[in-house]
Amino acid sequence: MGILEDKSNARLFYKYLSKVYDRINSFNWNEEMRAEALSWLEFGDDPRVLDVGCGTGFGTEGLLEHADDVHGLDQSIHQMEKAFEKFGKRERVNFYRGDAERLPFRDDAFDVVWSSGSIEYWPNPVEGLRELRRVAKPGGQVLVVGPDYPHNPILQRVADAIMLFYDADEADRMFEAAGYEEFEHHIQQATPQSPRAITTVARVPDDGESPDESAAAAADADPSAPDAE
């Protein structure tokens, strides 16, 4: 497990990175890549959308181009404070402070679940992917962006020491273990010199069964201001 897959380490890391995150993020994940990823989703009419690991709101900003009912969740209050400056705490977006592996929402709550630049920090990525599937409606879509595993052996050792990097084969394993049956992977890259992102678009299985509300992990979370550290 990489050092930043420890949640306390990741929170401390983003306490400082949040100050410059929006300036450096475009080198790895830019507006063109975001627009391409959004084009792979089917939003339909009046969609309810969740951004897991929303951070400073870069992905959230793109989702707002396609939906009015947008919700964002992150574990780092320092990152979210940057998002509050852009959107307010509960004006254009309902924000929650929480854990991707224990989402505070009922089953089948969202039409689209988006997560960009978050899975690499999850200690248990399969559990996190199960949670995304749980809160998405049957037949809905889940999109996850993570860092593609480097080909260079030296960079591989560095990557393994820091956080989760994975290739298409590992993505297949994780999504299948999390209960997805239909998904596809896309490789995205800001420039030929930039790290590559692996973006997976998955369809949530529709088993034809009615959701058991009593088995939901939690009721809809109260969209009040997130807890502060």
Side-chain angles (χ1 to χ4, degrees):
M1 179 181 291
I3 188 172
L4 292 182
E5 290 174 84
D6 179 281
K7 294 178 184 179
S8 61
N9 289 342
R11 285 194 296 270
L12 180 61
F13 175 69
Y14 273 109
K15 178 179 180 179
Y16 298 100
L17 184 64
S18 62
K19 302 178 188 300
V20 296
Y21 182 84
D22 284 339
R23 292 200 295 274
I24 66 174
N25 184 49
S26 61
F27 293 105
N28 298 324
W29 178 242
N30 59 28
E31 292 183 3
E32 290 76 16
M33 296 167 71
R34 182 184 67 187
E36 183 179 38
L38 286 164
S39 74
W40 298 324
L41 294 173
E42 302 162 8
F43 287 93
D45 297 327
D46 300 320
R48 192 174 192 227
V49 177
L50 174 64
D51 185 358
V52 175
C54 62
T56 64
F58 182 75
T60 314
E61 184 178 20
L63 293 169
L64 284 166
E65 298 173 2
H66 298 268
D68 294 324
D69 189 1
V70 177
H71 304 253
L73 176 141
D74 202 278
Q75 69 160 343
S76 169
I77 189 63
H78 302 96
Q79 287 281 84
M80 295 176 72
E81 284 172 348
K82 300 296 183 181
F84 299 159
E85 294 173 6
K86 300 174 185 177
F87 311 113
K89 287 186 178 180
R90 61 181 74 84
E91 296 165 12
R92 298 184 64 197
V93 180
N94 288 322
F95 285 106
Y96 316 82
R97 188 175 178 205
D99 188 333
E101 296 170 5
R102 294 184 301 167
L103 294 174
F105 308 104
R106 63 177 173 81
D107 292 0
D108 308 342
F110 298 95
D111 300 284
V112 171
V113 178
W114 166 288
S115 184
S116 54
S118 181
I119 188 172
E120 57 264 40
Y121 302 105
W122 302 350
N124 300 292
V126 171
E127 185 59 35
L129 292 173
R130 286 194 187 106
E131 277 290 273
L132 303 192
R133 179 172 65 86
R134 179 184 67 77
V135 302
K137 294 178 181 178
Q141 288 176 292
V142 168
L143 182 145
V144 176
V145 184
D148 188 43
Y149 199 62
H151 298 297
N152 183 293
I154 295 175
L155 293 180
Q156 288 175 356
R157 289 196 291 273
V158 174
D160 291 340
I162 297 173
M163 58 190 181
L164 173 68
F165 287 72
Y166 57 94
D167 59 15
D169 288 341
E170 180 64 9
D172 285 346
R173 186 197 69 77
M174 292 191 300
F175 276 81
E176 288 171 358
Y180 296 88
E181 300 169 1
E182 179 185 345
F183 50 84
E184 59 184 13
H185 311 303
H186 306 265
I187 297 299
Q188 296 183 279
Q189 194 171 22
T191 71
Q193 292 74 40
S194 300
R196 304 196 320 169
I198 180 167
T199 301
T200 302
V201 183
R203 183 78 62 182
V204 177
D206 185 353
D207 57 14
E209 296 179 1
S210 300
D212 182 2
E213 294 293 335
S214 64
D220 275 323
D222 180 5
S224 57
D227 297 335
E229 290 185 331

